[in-house]
Amino acid sequence: MYRIRFHGRGGQGIKVTSRILGSALFMNGYEIQDAPRYGAERRGAPIFAYVRASKNSIFERGIVRNPDLIVVADESLIPLPAAAVIQGADEHTVLLLNTRIDAQTWKERLNFPGTVLSFDAYICFEEQQDERFTGTACVGAASRLLGLFDKSILKEAINEELQEMKSEIIEKNITIALKAYDLMEPYEHCVNSSKKTDALNYVKPHWVELPFENARTSAPVIHATLTSENVPTGLWRTLHPIIHYEHCHRCWWNCSTFCPDSAINVNEESFPVIDYDHCKGCLICSTICPSHAIEVISESEARKRMEKKEEE
Amino acid sequence: MKRKLLTGNGAAAWGARLAKADYIPAFPITPQTEIIETLAKWIDTDEMEGRLVTLESEHSMITAAGTAASTGVRVFTATSSQGLLYAMEMLYTVAGWRAPLVLVNVSRGLSAPITLEADHNDVMAARDSGFLQIHCSTCQEVLDGVIMAYRISEDQKIRLPIIVNLDGFYLSFTREPVELPDKEAVDAFLPPFDAGNIKLRANMPESQAVVVLGGSPYSYFRYEMHLAEMNGLNIYESVAGEFKKHFGREYASVESYRTDDAEYLFVMMGSFATKAKEAVDRLRDAGWTIGLLRPRLFRPFPAPTFQKLCRGKKAVAVIDQNLSMGKGGILHGELASALYGHNEMPTILASFIGGLGGRDISTEEFFEMANVIKRSFEEGSTPPPRLLYTDEELREIRKLQTIANVERNSLKGEQ
Amino acid sequence: MNENIKKLKDLPSTHLMGTGTPMCAGCGGLEALHQVYDILGKNTVIINAAGCMTLLSVYPFTPFSGSWIYTAMASAPAGAQGVRDALDILRKKGSITEEEDLQVVVLTGDGSAYGMGMSATSGAMDRDLDFIYLCYDNEGYGNTGQQYSQATPHAAQTATSKSALGFTGYKKDLFSIWAAHKPAYVATVIGSEPLDLAKKIEKAKGLKGPKMIIALSPCPTGWDFDPSKTVDIGKLAVKTGIWPLKEYIDGKVIHTKIPKKRLNIEAYLKEQGRFSHLFEPTRNESLLAELQKKVDTYWEEIENG
């Protein structure tokens, strides 16, 4: 059995991605199970999807604990514990990252036990907008790594899963997926199925007797305020607003009021300051700023500028 | 202390009054309505402090009950049957909030078909919710039960809501002598409400009842509720012990009537269990060694007590005044799972269903049930479950069916 | 009545709602809520019904400076009843002081307010409950994927109305239904008009009884537009006259903003993917005319008294 896990953000088409792979494998004679895993449906929030494929009946359910292949469509998810991107990986697992950073660096950063492969989905895109098809690029690449079906089946699966969409969109998805498929040629068939679990030599589950705890502790009550500030929603950003203070007229009642997430604070001099730990990049501030003082750049560009600054 | 004639509903209202309930969200439903009418009258005439508010549905009523308790006041409410089911979502919810409060359920058969008289399907439907359950068989027990229920529910080791159940009509509208404890005696037994660590105040903001995502965290909260409810086994005993000291009346979690030397047992809940006592007495007169076990505490289920009391008995007849469609008697199933695998348990655990919608169970039926389990024990085989119904009753319904224009053919038993 | 906010500059410059919630980027509902919260202050308990905002607090994270309790989808106003009554009982007993008392605020989406919660809301108003009700109206069951609700406008595409005609029903007039109960106050607001919103919330704060607020909440995810446009679309909702800003008080309905020269509603509809079927592949002239007529009729009746 092959077990594949996709990680991405709401809005990147991860569910469709997993279904394209599921369909392709099904078309090629596999029994499959594919499912996305939602919290609540949110653009930008981490989501994952998994695919199981076997020539026999699949007697597994739920999350993939021991993935053979992990595909990460959005590298900004990696530091997020909630995204659990490398959970369950071992020496046999292949980690495919959509990134410009080289695989070796990632392997060291993550202390990853298995194989790490990088690919840059952007190479497959024709224009900036194609970013929304990141998931498709990922499934194209993943398909080559699995090496279980050829291009024509991948194309058929995309047609099947995207049939509700306009034909230009379907064509675009196919182009991107096939480009990614070609890109991964050197790594064809590098994914191996994991060994079957050993019923004799297994790690015992560490069962405990749950102690009774009184209601203050054990009722679903948060005895605090503002703990949400621990959640770095800034990691959702793909676009980055920057206030150019030389143009700013300090009409903070616009940007600070209109920011839905309370992520624009007003400092002592009445200048608005963006809280980048939490700004989700909705760009309302930039849109409504009367003096057009808020520039928008890509998040990756913003990170580059930050790294440059740190070097200086 | 004085003895008054009170209906079961009246006794419930007195329980709430003596417990000094602060807040009574209400909604009328037969056969409970007299409870809230009585309380409303007392509040209107200043005989009782407290606020009674009629909500627009039982679902809203239980919501208001739960939020008021979570804010920090002592809450009393009451319902029956369809009302209990309409509120069912909120029963589970309010228990999950760990809101302590007393809900009196006046048991009534469930729709469809809709009816008005008593059985236990309504309160049984709440058994998984996290509410504790006390079942009463006399009006005295109702009053005492409400007072004890507050002690149990508000105990920091529990902090869960509790249902006190009484049968519609047979208790709710039936007067019996009830000893009314003095206010001061109740105050000595039941201290004022202590909101403890969960309450709503401006100076200590809390986010209550929040979303919990992830199977592991969710499991923690749910298991803890169960552990809290299980604490009810010990706490019920200690509260009952204290109640006896204060008021002289004893309420074991399972009442054992003439069971010490018994070979055979009836097991039954609610007011009809009183009839089983009469049957026991008559059977004893005729030479039987038989007794009755009547659980008062149904949730948490007093499994260890039942194991002790059933040890060494030959055969048991469980009489359920409820019916789980597609399975059978609920008390029977609960008892079977509590006894299975323990040493010296009765070989015969027979199931009888009776009293649905208030259908009477005659003393002769009890005698016959005793004979069935005796024969079964001697033959060594468990009888199939029996739905108590007589030939006369079947003829009666045929007559009704004629009027209702059911085909003549079927009267002769043809398809 | 305490009306401290007269100009935009008077709006609060610090915000009580915390960051880090999982609401979509550009959420129009959150935009309205955080503005309302700033005016109400932290001595509040928000009683919530099932909807997008239920996810504001996921254990152990909460963005609130005050209190919060999640109830169920249909009964948040009943929950508010229980809290308000309990606080009143505690005040009467002297167990809590005025400083420890809380404003009781119900927060629901349109799914609850226009539908399942109608009975509980009606009951609460009927009992003259002293509370504020804030409905964030994104015109559909948002949290489950934007299926149509009783607040969905005619012709909108939703997850359960995907034909070329979109939703064949009509948006319920919740304002009138609520006003028919003769509560202390009813108002429509929108996060893109913060001054109008702030004045109304301040006014509501000073009244006793049910204060009912509907905030149209442009929803990037459900209405299909770029999150950066939430405020622009809100302003268009007002400028086209589709979202009248009004209040009901002392038996009268007063419009707090009357657009002088109403823009054609197309300006609003074109911005949203949920109405794109009215323009592509061909313009649906009859539906567009019908929608425009509805808006025109509404304002003609207002202008003619």
Side-chain angles (χ1 to χ4, degrees):
Chain A
M1 182 174 346
Y2 291 94
R3 301 171 184 83
I4 305 105
R5 216 167 61 204
F6 290 94
H7 291 267
R9 293 189 183 279
Q12 284 173 331
I14 297 302
K15 175 177 168 184
V16 174
T17 300
S18 64
R19 285 189 165 189
I20 291 170
L21 185 61
S23 274
L25 290 161
F26 178 58
M27 286 167 185
N28 214 36
Y30 285 85
E31 292 298 299
I32 69 113
Q33 229 185 55
D34 65 37
R37 181 58 191 284
Y38 299 114
E41 317 194 21
R42 296 275 178 268
R43 265 188 202 168
I47 97 167
F48 65 91
Y50 53 85
V51 181
R52 290 185 169 94
S54 173
K55 289 290 185 181
N56 305 312
S57 303
I58 296 177
F59 290 150
E60 282 182 15
R61 278 281 166 225
I63 58 170
V64 165
R65 289 185 151 276
N66 188 5
D68 306 321
L69 171 63
I70 302 173
V71 183
V72 181
D74 186 329
E75 61 186 306
S76 70
L77 286 174
I78 296 175
L80 268 187
V85 161
I86 60 172
Q87 185 133 80
D90 62 26
E91 321 76 48
H92 93 287
T93 309
V94 174
L95 173 64
L96 175 67
L97 299 171
N98 171 20
T99 179
R100 293 207 178 125
I101 298 168
D102 68 283
Q104 184 56 28
T105 306
W106 276 114
K107 189 171 162 80
E108 283 160 19
R109 257 190 215 174
L110 300 174
N111 200 16
F112 192 77
T115 310
V116 180
L117 297 173
S118 304
F119 94 107
D120 184 2
Y122 266 88
I123 298 176
C124 310
F125 303 151
E126 284 160 342
E127 31 178 5
Q128 171 77 27
Q129 282 192 68
D130 290 351
E131 230 179 8
R132 57 202 161 121
F133 305 128
T134 302
T136 312
C138 289
V139 73
S143 301
R144 198 61 181 275
L145 299 186
L146 285 166
L148 299 174
F149 50 84
D150 63 29
K151 276 185 186 182
S152 64
I153 298 223
L154 178 58
K155 197 170 163 191
E156 214 188 310
I158 294 174
N159 273 312
E160 170 72 21
E161 292 303 325
L162 299 186
Q163 54 183 273
E164 310 261 308
M165 300 201 172
K166 298 190 195 144
S167 53
E168 314 90 73
I169 302 284
I170 301 178
E171 283 314 308
K172 193 155 228 170
N173 273 278
I174 291 173
T175 309
I176 289 172
L178 294 182
K179 266 206 183 120
Y181 187 89
D182 287 336
L183 213 59
M184 291 288 110
E185 194 208 334
Y187 307 105
E188 183 170 45
H189 211 62
C190 71
V191 177
N192 299 306
S193 181
S194 61
K195 294 197 284 269
K196 298 196 190 210
T197 32
D198 184 345
L200 286 176
N201 299 306
Y202 65 92
V203 178
K204 273 191 153 65
H206 301 134
W207 284 347
V208 292
E209 294 303 317
L210 203 60
F212 162 78
E213 301 184 300
N214 76 20
R216 184 191 164 85
T217 308
S218 64
V221 180
I222 303 169
H223 301 281
T225 58
L226 299 171
T227 54
S228 62
E229 303 199 326
N230 288 302
V231 182
T233 48
L235 289 172
W236 293 18
R237 271 198 313 276
T238 51
L239 292 168
H240 189 104
I242 299 181
I243 300 175
H244 286 273
Y245 289 104
E246 65 273 23
H247 299 298
C248 171
H249 295 161
R250 292 190 265 187
C251 58
W252 51 262
W253 47 84
N254 284 309
C255 54
S256 181
T257 302
F258 286 133
C259 172
D261 287 276
S262 311
I264 300 183
N265 300 308
V266 183
N267 70 10
E268 283 150 0
E269 288 103 49
S270 296
F271 279 107
V273 179
I274 295 176
D275 167 6
Y276 288 106
D277 286 335
H278 297 106
C279 162
K280 292 171 183 165
C282 73
L283 307 179
I284 286 175
C285 56
S286 168
T287 309
I288 55 87
C289 174
S291 41
H292 306 287
I294 304 182
E295 181 199 2
V296 176
I297 57 175
S298 77
E299 189 60 23
S300 43
E301 173 63 32
R303 256 180 263 143
K304 269 202 212 113
R305 290 193 195 178
M306 267 269 284
E307 281 159 15
K308 243 202 190 141
K309 255 209 186 117
E310 280 168 12
E311 282 165 21
E312 282 161 12
Chain B
M1 296 202 220
K2 43 200 160 104
R3 274 183 120 215
K4 273 186 79 146
L5 288 179
L6 289 180
T7 59
N9 282 344
W14 266 107
R17 175 169 165 174
L18 289 165
K20 296 209 186 117
D22 293 312
Y23 186 55
I24 301 148
F27 193 83
I29 184 167
T30 305
Q32 157 274 112
T33 314
E34 192 196 342
I35 300 176
I36 58 174
E37 287 172 354
T38 307
L39 291 167
K41 189 181 95 161
W42 286 336
I43 291 170
D44 284 344
T45 56
D46 285 324
E47 289 175 77
M48 175 180 175
E49 276 194 56
R51 182 184 293 218
L52 187 146
V53 176
T54 303
L55 280 292
E56 63 289 337
S57 79
E58 289 92 344
H59 182 279
S60 286
M61 180 184 90
I62 299 294
T63 308
T67 56
S70 299
T71 303
V73 296
R74 183 169 280 162
V75 178
F76 177 85
T77 188
T79 189
S80 301
S81 181
Q82 307 308 122
L84 189 70
L85 262 58
Y86 196 65
M88 192 58 75
E89 175 193 29
M90 295 318 292
L91 287 172
Y92 280 73
T93 303
V94 155
W97 294 349
R98 308 297 296 275
L101 57 93
V102 173
L103 163 60
V104 166
N105 184 61
V106 183
S107 245
R108 167 186 144 190
L110 290 177
S111 183
I114 189 147
T115 191
L116 293 174
E117 288 166 84
D119 72 35
H120 297 150
N121 263 99
D122 57 356
V123 71
M124 286 294 148
R127 69 194 191 276
D128 301 334
S129 64
F131 269 72
L132 284 78
Q133 284 191 21
I134 292 177
H135 286 246
C136 307
S137 74
T138 65
C139 297
Q140 181 73 62
E141 247 188 284
V142 172
L143 187 149
D144 293 343
V146 170
I147 295 170
M148 286 201 298
Y150 277 109
R151 276 288 300 271
I152 297 166
S153 166
E154 293 171 12
D155 192 299
Q156 287 303 316
K157 286 226 175 78
I158 298 183
R159 249 203 100 101
L160 284 168
I162 184 167
I163 291 176
V164 176
N165 196 73
L166 63 141
D167 291 333
F169 288 73
Y170 302 117
L171 281 188
S172 71
F173 297 153
T174 303
R175 289 200 313 174
E176 291 180 341
V178 175
E179 209 160 270
L180 264 185
D182 294 330
K183 267 197 324 206
E184 296 73 29
V186 179
D187 288 345
F189 173 78
L190 179 64
F193 183 80
D194 175 7
N197 287 312
I198 301 177
K199 56 189 169 192
L200 291 172
R201 300 284 184 277
N203 57 0
M204 26 162 282
E206 302 192 319
S207 293
Q208 290 194 21
V210 298
V211 176
V212 173
L213 294 178
S216 289
Y218 178 77
S219 293
Y220 168 82
F221 290 108
R222 299 293 288 174
Y223 290 164
E224 286 293 328
M225 258 177 76
H226 172 67
L227 293 174
E229 190 160 351
M230 293 305 283
N231 284 343
L233 291 175
N234 289 334
I235 287 168
Y236 179 92
E237 297 301 342
S238 65
V239 169
E242 268 198 64
F243 192 88
K244 183 177 178 202
K245 275 202 215 113
H246 282 252
F247 302 100
R249 290 185 288 280
E250 179 157 19
Y251 291 113
S253 59
V254 179
E255 178 183 14
S256 16
Y257 183 73
R258 305 186 80 171
T259 60
D260 287 347
D261 67 332
E263 297 172 293
Y264 301 100
L265 294 177
F266 291 126
V267 179
M268 202 170 175
M269 283 165 61
S271 67
F272 270 13
T274 310
K275 290 147 76 70
K277 287 182 179 172
E278 164 75 8
V280 163
D281 288 346
R282 300 287 74 74
L283 286 162
R284 283 238 172 213
D285 287 346
W288 284 72
T289 45
I290 188 166
L292 163 75
L293 288 180
R294 179 177 73 86
R296 289 193 179 93
L297 186 66
F298 180 73
R299 276 292 184 275
F301 191 76
T305 308
F306 268 116
Q307 287 148 15
K308 203 174 76 190
L309 293 170
C310 290
R311 183 156 289 125
K313 307 305 184 197
K314 289 181 176 170
V316 177
V318 183
I319 301 136
D320 270 291
Q321 205 173 343
N322 62 75
L323 182 53
S324 174
M325 298 301 165
K327 172 73 168 68
I330 292 169
L331 182 56
H332 179 267
E334 300 254 330
L335 189 58
S337 72
L339 300 183
Y340 188 85
H342 290 268
N343 294 328
E344 300 172 70
M345 290 295 114
T347 36
I348 305 292
L349 198 70
S351 172
F352 297 90
I353 310 287
L356 299 189
R359 177 206 178 266
D360 192 35
I361 306 175
S362 68
T363 323
E364 288 80 6
E365 287 190 298
F366 284 103
F367 298 158
E368 191 56 25
M369 288 191 269
N371 274 298
V372 166
I373 60 170
K374 183 161 190 269
R375 267 198 306 275
S376 305
F377 178 77
E378 283 152 9
E379 287 163 16
S381 83
T382 305
R386 171 163 290 281
L387 308 174
L388 298 179
Y389 212 68
T390 64
D391 185 46
E392 292 84 357
E393 287 175 286
L394 191 55
R395 273 190 267 132
E396 272 306 307
I397 201 144
R398 297 292 181 228
K399 286 192 200 150
L400 299 180
Q401 286 171 328
T402 313
I403 299 169
N405 211 23
V406 171
E407 285 299 296
R408 287 213 129 244
N409 284 342
S410 69
L411 277 179
K412 295 181 188 152
E414 291 160 20
Q415 285 307 306
Chain C
M1 263 184 262
N2 212 3
E3 277 171 17
N4 291 320
I5 296 186
K6 299 209 164 45
K7 310 186 293 294
L8 284 168
K9 280 195 184 144
D10 299 329
L11 290 172
S13 61
T14 51
H15 303 301
L16 289 178
M17 283 281 295
T19 51
T21 68
M23 296 304 112
C24 298
C27 172
L30 186 59
E31 187 167 73
L33 174 61
H34 96 93
Q35 293 176 20
V36 171
Y37 203 52
D38 282 342
I39 310 292
L40 292 181
K42 39 183 175 190
N43 285 10
T44 46
V45 51
I46 299 180
I47 296 150
N48 175 244
C52 288
M53 297 291 171
T54 303
L55 279 297
L56 281 171
S57 181
V58 178
Y59 195 89
F61 304 118
T62 180
F64 298 108
S65 311
S67 287
W68 159 275
I69 179 166
Y70 167 69
T71 56
M73 188 158 175
S75 58
Q81 184 78 49
V83 176
R84 182 69 263 152
D85 285 339
L87 289 169
D88 287 346
I89 289 167
L90 292 167
R91 286 287 301 273
K92 193 161 170 224
K93 282 187 173 181
S95 310
I96 62 169
T97 61
E98 192 177 347
E99 289 73 41
E100 286 171 299
D101 201 348
L102 294 163
Q103 281 173 107
V104 173
V105 181
V106 164
L107 175 70
T108 83
D110 55 278
S112 178
Y114 284 70
M116 205 193 284
M118 186 72 83
S119 163
T121 311
S122 180
M125 284 195 277
D126 187 55
R127 293 185 297 269
D128 202 30
L129 179 65
D130 183 24
F131 78 123
I132 295 175
Y133 190 127
L134 176 60
C135 165
Y136 56 95
D137 181 357
N138 75 336
E139 303 192 323
Y141 292 115
N143 200 38
T144 44
Q146 201 68 15
Q147 295 80 28
Y148 67 77
S149 76
Q150 295 169 55
T152 301
H154 191 62
Q157 291 237 322
T158 65
T160 40
S161 59
K162 279 190 182 295
S163 79
L165 296 175
F167 182 57
T168 51
Y170 293 86
K171 188 179 179 78
K172 186 184 275 190
D173 184 358
L174 186 64
F175 182 91
S176 301
I177 292 171
W178 279 356
H181 288 74
K182 298 192 170 46
Y185 188 65
V186 187
T188 55
V189 300
I190 189 164
S192 58
E193 300 292 336
L195 190 57
D196 180 82
L197 184 154
K199 286 181 178 172
K200 285 167 170 163
I201 302 303
E202 277 208 320
K203 188 183 275 186
K205 207 177 162 181
L207 298 168
K208 275 219 117 168
K211 286 88 62 177
M212 320 294 290
I213 315 285
I214 313 172
L216 185 68
S217 301
C219 171
T221 311
W223 298 8
D224 193 9
F225 60 82
D226 191 271
S228 62
K229 299 240 179 101
T230 294
V231 171
D232 291 347
I233 288 179
K235 289 201 193 286
L236 286 169
V238 174
K239 287 200 184 124
T240 55
I242 270 188
W243 187 247
L245 290 176
K246 55 187 174 181
E247 44 185 16
Y248 163 90
I249 186 165
D250 295 328
K252 291 199 282 285
V253 175
I254 304 160
H255 284 72
T256 54
K257 222 179 175 85
I258 298 183
K260 275 181 245 144
K261 248 198 131 196
R262 268 181 297 118
L263 292 178
N264 190 293
I265 58 163
E266 287 188 28
Y268 171 75
L269 301 173
K270 271 210 299 263
E271 296 292 325
Q272 304 164 53
R274 65 174 175 155
F275 291 117
S276 63
H277 60 290
L278 298 178
F279 302 102
E280 308 267 339
T282 51
R283 288 173 58 90
N284 188 328
E285 296 296 353
S286 65
L287 258 182
L288 285 168
E290 188 189 337
L291 294 175
Q292 184 66 59
K293 188 153 194 291
K294 261 180 88 57
V295 176
D296 291 341
T297 309
Y298 176 88
W299 288 101
E300 275 150 25
E301 284 174 12
I302 303 302
E303 278 144 29
N304 298 336

